[in-house]
């Protein structure tokens, strides 16, 4: 998926725009995203000041040099980008080198003339490279209504974050710039969707004048409510969203240029990094799932924080104490199939107290009823990341009544154990379901059926030939050939009326089935 361009804009200065952008950038990079920050406030640059402790040396070039590149017919190469010393991918395209000649270079730029010379097309090509190389490109725009402001609020962004304070002039400026930006985008020769705008109330102090603060918050919601229409969930009010996203005035952070999120790593609601995390999560989710944000802010932020993380296990098996032995065998069978599995037993308090879970999927071994520990595990599991392809798979014993299970589990696609359950059958059923295959289709499901098939020994030799060909197709990533071989395997294992003296898969066939299951799982994960 191509990256997203987000402009941070303010109608008036002094609202903490660069502070907000820099902190959101650090959070996104910390959460695993590739981030480029661009200082388009060319006449009063200062974004790099927030990154001083992450800069090995001052930037030697920046946005202003793009003009020279355009005039000299040089395309974007990333040469002007400064890599910040941070754990993730966090880069800065500064305004320029800030040297004695910088101001003169800025004054000589005539943006109207540049656009007449097709500078807009050049910027569009730069933008294409940015969104190819980064997940998020954050633009720090100049205040007011300017040519540069038009580039940042109309031409380049997918989303516009407009910071404002609780006064009439600032509120009117927010609404006006959103209108102007949409009108300007309609005239662009590029395919752009309607601009998504986040009005971000900033430097808001509700600690003493509570009644006045509440009145102004309601006024802000009323005046800016139309800007929420194209992205806010219908059941969520603008006022509620403003309460979630307001940046409070905290005097400590009004001195100097510092990154609060580097200090407040686990902020509470009273700290400024708390709403900054919320803003970063909204950007990370690309303004989606706002109903979750309205209902549970912590869940929403946790989902954004963990979206890019790597899991140490493919699946966790949650089992009641009475199924401990079966669960251990199941974990072993899953590992033989190439799935990394971990075991948790009901009553294991350490799991519920962990900061986050480590398995992509969760299997609930259910014998009669779901234990309260398993219910807590499901809640914890679903809490961390509602966006990712993560599954809860109930594995029910033969005597378990599916209709008596809690609704949240009853509605999930489950697997059923036989009266005399075999761990290898359960493992292969799980592997097939996690591979995302539907019943009757897909290699994983057909392999699972082959383990249970019975037929005359000569027909198993045909199955062996098909499996060897399928392994070769998996290695070569020949999807069309693999689809044909899957259908061949379906036909080969179908019961025949004249099949007498039938047997299950011999040792050689079972070994090929195991190998094909492992390789298919690896191919699915790569895909």
């Amino acid at each position: 998926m191509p990256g997203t361009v987000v402009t941070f804009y303010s109608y008036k200065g002094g609202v903490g725009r660069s502070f907000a952008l820099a902190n959101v950038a650090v959070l996104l990079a910390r959460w695993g995203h590739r981030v480029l920050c661009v200082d388009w406030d060319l006449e009063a640059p200062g974004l790099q000041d927030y990154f001083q402790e992450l800069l090995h040396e001052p930037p030697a070039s920046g946005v202003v040099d793009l003009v020279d590149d355009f005039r000299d017919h040089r395309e974007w190469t990333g040469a002007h980008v400064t890599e910040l010393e941070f754990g993730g991918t966090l880069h800065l395209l500064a305004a320029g080198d800030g040297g004695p000649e910088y101001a003169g270079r800025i004054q000589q730029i005539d943006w109207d003339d540049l656009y007449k010379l097709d500078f807009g097309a050049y910027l569009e090509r730069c933008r294409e490279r940015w969104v190819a190389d980064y997940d998020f490109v954050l633009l720090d725009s100049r205040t007011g209504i300017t040519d540069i402001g038009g580039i940042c609020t109309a031409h380049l962004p997918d989303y516009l974050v407009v910071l404002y304070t609780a006064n009439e002039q600032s509120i009117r400026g927010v609404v006006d710039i959103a209108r102007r930006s949409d009108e300007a985008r309609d005239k662009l020769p590029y395919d752009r969707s309607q601009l998504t705008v986040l009005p971000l109330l900033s430097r808001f102090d509700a600690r003493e004048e509570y009644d006045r603060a509440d009145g102004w918050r309601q006024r802000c919601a009323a005046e800016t409510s139309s800007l929420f229409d194209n992205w806010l969930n219908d059941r969520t009010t603008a006022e509620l969203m403003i309460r979630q996203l307001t940046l409070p005035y905290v005097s400590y952070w009004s001195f100097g240029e510092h990154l609060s999120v580097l200090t407040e790593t686990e902020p509470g609601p009273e700290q400024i990094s708390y709403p900054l995390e919320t803003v970063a999560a909204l950007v990370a989710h690309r303004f989606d799932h706002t109903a979750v944000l309205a209902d549970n802010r912590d869940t929403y932020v946790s989902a954004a924080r963990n979206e890019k993380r790597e899991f140490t296990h493919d699946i966790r098996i949650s089992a009641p104490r009475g199924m401990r032995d079966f669960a251990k065998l199941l974990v072993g069978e899953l590992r033989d199939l190439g799935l990394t599995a971990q075991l948790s037993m009901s009553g294991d308090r350490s799991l519920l107290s962990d900061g986050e879970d480590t398995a992509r999927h969760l299997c609930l071994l259910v014998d009669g009823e779901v234990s309260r520990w398993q219910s807590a595990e499901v809640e914890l599991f679903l809490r961390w990341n509602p966006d990712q392809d993560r599954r809860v798979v109930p594995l029910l014993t033969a005597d378990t009544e599916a209709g008596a299970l809690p609704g949240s589990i009853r509605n999930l696609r489950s697997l059923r154990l036989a009266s005399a359950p075999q761990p290898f059958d359960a493992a292969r059923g799980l592997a097939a379901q996690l591979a995302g295959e539907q019943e009757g289709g897909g290699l994983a499901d057909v392999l699972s059926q082959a383990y249970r098939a019975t037929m005359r020994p000569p027909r198993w030799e045909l199955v062996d030939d098909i499996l060897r060909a399928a392994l070769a197709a998996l290695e070569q990533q020949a999807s069309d050939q693999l689809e044909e071989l899957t259908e061949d395997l379906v036909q080969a294992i179908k019961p025949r009326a004249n099949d007498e003296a039938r047997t299950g898969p011999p040792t050689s066939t079972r070994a090929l089935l195991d190998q094909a299951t492992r390789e298919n799982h690896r191919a699915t994960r790569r895909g």
Side-chain angles (χ1 to χ4, degrees):
M1 182 173 67
T4 300
V5 181
V6 185
T7 289
F8 282 67
Y9 171 88
S10 60
Y11 182 71
K12 302 282 285 185
V15 300
R17 183 194 68 242
S18 299
F19 171 80
L21 183 152
N23 279 281
V24 167
V26 169
L27 287 169
L28 291 172
R30 179 186 290 164
W31 296 345
H33 298 285
R34 300 165 299 162
V35 181
L36 172 66
C37 303
V38 184
D39 192 348
W40 269 98
D41 191 356
L42 301 185
E43 294 191 3
L47 186 58
Q48 71 186 60
D49 293 333
Y50 286 96
F51 296 120
Q52 282 299 326
E53 57 188 297
L54 305 179
L55 281 168
H56 178 66
E57 57 186 8
S61 59
V63 173
V64 68
D65 296 278
L66 296 181
V67 175
D68 293 336
D69 288 349
F70 168 69
R71 288 169 174 160
D72 294 337
H73 306 289
R74 291 192 298 266
E75 293 296 318
W76 168 266
T77 62
H80 307 305
V81 167
T82 301
E83 184 173 348
L84 301 177
E85 295 182 344
F86 190 74
T89 300
L90 181 58
H91 294 170
L92 171 66
L93 178 58
D97 62 4
E101 298 180 356
Y102 174 80
R105 295 175 67 190
I106 293 298
Q107 292 169 358
Q108 292 173 8
I109 296 176
D110 187 318
W111 296 102
D112 284 337
D113 284 349
L114 283 174
Y115 264 76
K116 290 175 183 177
L117 295 172
D118 220 13
F119 183 67
Y122 172 76
L123 275 185
E124 187 68 11
R125 294 195 297 274
C126 289
R127 185 188 190 278
E128 290 173 357
R129 292 292 302 274
W130 294 346
V131 298
D133 294 340
Y134 298 94
D135 299 312
F136 293 99
V137 181
L138 308 185
L139 309 181
D140 193 18
S141 174
R142 189 186 173 196
T143 60
I145 301 172
T146 64
D147 294 330
I148 293 176
I151 293 172
C152 294
T153 60
H155 182 173
L156 294 176
D158 298 299
Y159 302 108
L160 179 61
V161 178
V162 186
L163 283 85
Y164 69 104
T165 52
N167 61 69
E168 293 291 354
Q169 186 182 33
S170 191
I171 296 172
R172 286 197 304 268
V174 169
V175 177
D176 183 60
I177 197 62
R179 177 186 59 80
R180 288 173 178 269
S181 298
D182 259 334
E183 290 176 354
R185 284 167 76 87
D186 288 341
K187 300 174 184 177
L188 290 173
Y190 312 112
D191 185 19
R192 293 284 193 274
S193 60
Q194 181 182 1
L195 189 63
T196 298
V197 181
L198 167 63
L200 187 58
L201 181 57
S202 181
R203 298 180 68 83
F204 191 74
D205 193 345
R207 291 170 297 181
E208 295 183 4
E209 298 292 339
Y210 181 81
D211 290 339
R212 292 190 67 192
D214 193 54
W216 270 101
R217 189 184 285 112
Q218 293 179 33
R219 184 181 300 185
C220 291
E223 295 291 333
T224 64
S225 61
S226 62
L227 304 182
F228 292 90
D229 287 346
N230 71 329
W231 61 271
L232 189 59
N233 179 271
D234 292 340
R235 300 188 302 275
T236 305
T237 65
E239 184 177 351
L240 175 59
M241 194 54 50
I242 286 174
R243 288 181 182 275
Q244 292 276 23
L245 295 165
T246 296
L247 301 182
Y249 173 74
V250 180
S251 60
Y252 180 85
W253 298 109
S254 65
F255 300 100
E257 293 87 5
H258 302 286
L259 294 167
S260 65
V261 297
L262 293 182
T263 303
E264 301 170 349
T265 54
E266 296 184 7
E270 73 286 352
Q271 294 176 297
I272 197 168
S273 296
Y274 189 82
L276 285 169
E277 280 190 338
T278 312
V279 174
L282 187 63
V283 172
H285 288 299
R286 292 171 173 82
F287 288 66
D288 201 0
H289 306 293
T290 53
V292 178
L293 173 56
D295 181 60
N296 191 322
R297 177 266 180 198
D298 290 346
T299 295
Y300 191 78
V301 172
S302 294
R305 183 187 296 120
N306 292 288
E307 179 186 358
K308 289 283 189 175
R309 69 187 173 94
E310 296 292 331
F311 294 97
T312 57
H313 296 86
D314 293 309
I315 189 168
R316 182 170 72 249
I317 307 299
S318 171
R321 295 284 174 181
M323 298 191 71
R324 179 201 297 266
D325 293 340
F326 179 86
K328 287 182 177 179
L329 293 172
L330 176 58
V331 167
E333 292 289 344
L334 288 167
R335 288 173 179 165
D336 288 344
L337 294 176
L339 287 162
T340 55
Q342 67 175 159
L343 175 62
S344 71
M345 304 301 299
S346 290
D348 183 359
R349 294 179 181 271
S350 63
L351 175 74
L352 301 184
S353 63
D354 282 347
E356 59 186 53
D357 60 334
T358 58
R360 178 174 293 277
H361 303 294
L362 174 64
C363 171
L364 295 179
L365 273 178
V366 182
D367 186 16
E369 62 180 6
V370 177
S371 73
R372 62 189 180 94
W373 295 101
Q374 289 179 313
S375 296
E377 277 188 273
V378 172
E379 181 180 354
L380 177 66
F381 178 86
L382 295 177
R383 170 187 172 192
W384 284 107
N385 211 329
D387 282 348
Q388 284 190 331
D389 179 21
R390 306 184 67 192
R391 306 184 192 182
V392 179
V393 183
L395 186 55
L396 313 180
T397 61
D399 297 331
T400 298
E401 292 290 339
L405 298 176
S408 59
I409 297 174
R410 181 174 64 245
N411 296 328
L412 297 171
R413 181 184 173 194
S414 61
L415 297 173
R416 176 74 69 172
L417 292 171
S419 299
Q422 297 297 321
F424 65 84
D425 286 333
R428 285 153 184 77
L430 275 173
Q433 186 153 327
L434 296 183
E437 308 295 347
Q438 301 298 320
E439 288 293 334
L443 180 59
D445 189 64
V446 177
L447 291 172
S448 181
Q449 295 175 35
Y451 279 106
R452 301 189 296 271
T454 57
M455 61 183 102
R456 291 184 295 115
R459 289 181 54 204
W460 283 117
E461 295 177 7
L462 173 62
V463 170
D464 288 354
D465 291 339
I466 296 173
L467 290 173
R468 292 188 187 97
L471 284 167
L474 284 167
E475 183 178 359
Q476 298 165 9
Q477 300 182 28
S479 56
D480 291 342
Q481 183 183 0
L482 191 62
E483 187 175 340
E484 294 177 2
L485 289 166
T486 300
E487 182 57 34
D488 290 345
L489 186 58
V490 169
Q491 298 302 320
I493 63 176
K494 276 186 176 180
R496 302 291 195 275
N498 61 349
D499 269 355
E500 298 177 357
R502 293 182 295 179
T503 66
T507 302
S508 59
T509 305
R510 186 173 292 276
L512 287 169
L513 286 169
D514 288 347
Q515 186 180 357
T517 301
R518 285 193 298 271
E519 294 305 320
N520 184 54
H521 176 68
R522 292 192 182 102
T524 302
R525 293 176 69 185
R526 287 196 302 269

